[in-house]
Amino acid sequence: MVIFMWNTLLELDGNILLWIQENVRNDFLTPIMTFITHLGDSGWFWIALAVVLLLRKKTRPVGFLTACSLLGSLLINNLLLKNLVARTRPYEVVAGLHRIIEAQVDLSFPSGHAGSSFAAAVVIFLMCPKKAGIPALVLAFLIMLSRLYVGVHYPTDVLAGMVTGTLIAVCVCRVYRKIQKNKKI
């Protein structure tokens, strides 16, 4: 029963990617989604944002928490889970699926792009005014969707990255708030 459910999930994952390829990809969206997906490469955008936040005294705690969350995502998603699960990229397995960016050098599950994006964006959402937090979440969501659009991740990869990144960010913020609360006692 478990094997049947797993195979059904894998088939659904692949079919969603093929549907995106056939019904969503177009000449207008492709350069936009390619640009958005590259914002998440090696977490560079979120790392740069963390550095900018670290430069100002007022935003330094958020920059520190963002950096901690990104480090947590790197350790949990990219170093631990990717190697434990060892899932092959969809363009190598799903017949008829064509990637529209360069081949990726690491494994597929979970999406490091989604993980780092949500690890950073959720910290910003929880710790900053909503005028900064909401755009950060929107960008994280767009980066996550772009990974499906360009054909380098399964839907379950990006969902897992979103969940782990969010959980890491929430934990980092809770620990920080608890430390701050204990300092006031």
Side-chain angles (χ1 to χ4, degrees):
M1 182 66 169
V2 172
I3 293 173
F4 172 76
M5 289 174 46
W6 180 249
N7 288 335
T8 302
L9 177 63
L10 291 177
E11 187 177 333
L12 178 62
D13 252 1
N15 287 337
I16 291 170
L17 292 175
L18 291 171
W19 184 87
I20 290 169
Q21 177 176 279
E22 299 303 318
N23 297 288
V24 180
R25 282 187 189 171
N26 62 64
D27 292 339
F28 175 76
L29 273 181
T30 294
I32 296 168
M33 294 305 269
T34 300
F35 173 78
I36 290 170
T37 211
H38 287 310
L39 288 175
D41 290 353
S42 301
W44 78 264
F45 176 83
W46 302 107
I47 294 167
L49 184 58
V51 169
V52 168
L53 292 167
L54 284 166
L55 293 176
R56 293 186 56 216
K57 186 174 183 179
K58 181 179 176 182
T59 58
R60 196 165 291 143
V62 177
F64 176 73
L65 296 176
T66 301
C68 289
S69 196
L70 286 167
L71 181 60
S73 179
L74 172 71
L75 294 173
I76 291 169
N77 290 322
N78 293 67
L79 299 179
L80 179 68
L81 291 176
K82 277 187 186 277
N83 292 306
L84 281 175
V85 176
R87 189 176 197 186
T88 305
R89 293 282 178 168
Y91 55 82
E92 297 174 1
V93 179
V94 177
L97 180 66
H98 305 286
R99 62 182 165 76
I100 56 175
I101 62 169
E102 63 282 347
Q104 305 297 286
V105 296
D106 60 351
L107 296 162
S108 193
F109 183 94
S111 167
H113 280 65
S116 63
S117 294
F118 279 90
V122 170
V123 165
I124 294 165
F125 180 78
L126 293 174
M127 302 301 291
C128 293
K130 298 307 174 226
K131 66 182 180 184
I134 291 172
L137 284 178
V138 169
L139 180 58
F141 190 72
L142 289 173
I143 290 172
M144 181 181 84
L145 290 178
S146 75
R147 304 306 284 169
L148 303 175
Y149 185 92
V150 300
V152 297
H153 275 295
Y154 292 99
T156 49
D157 296 343
V158 298
L159 289 172
M162 178 182 74
V163 168
T164 57
T166 299
L167 290 173
I168 291 164
V170 168
C171 289
V172 164
C173 291
R174 282 188 179 168
V175 167
Y176 174 77
R177 287 181 174 143
K178 186 169 185 147
I179 290 169
Q180 292 304 308
K181 183 179 178 183
N182 288 341
K183 280 185 178 180
K184 292 178 182 178
I185 295 177

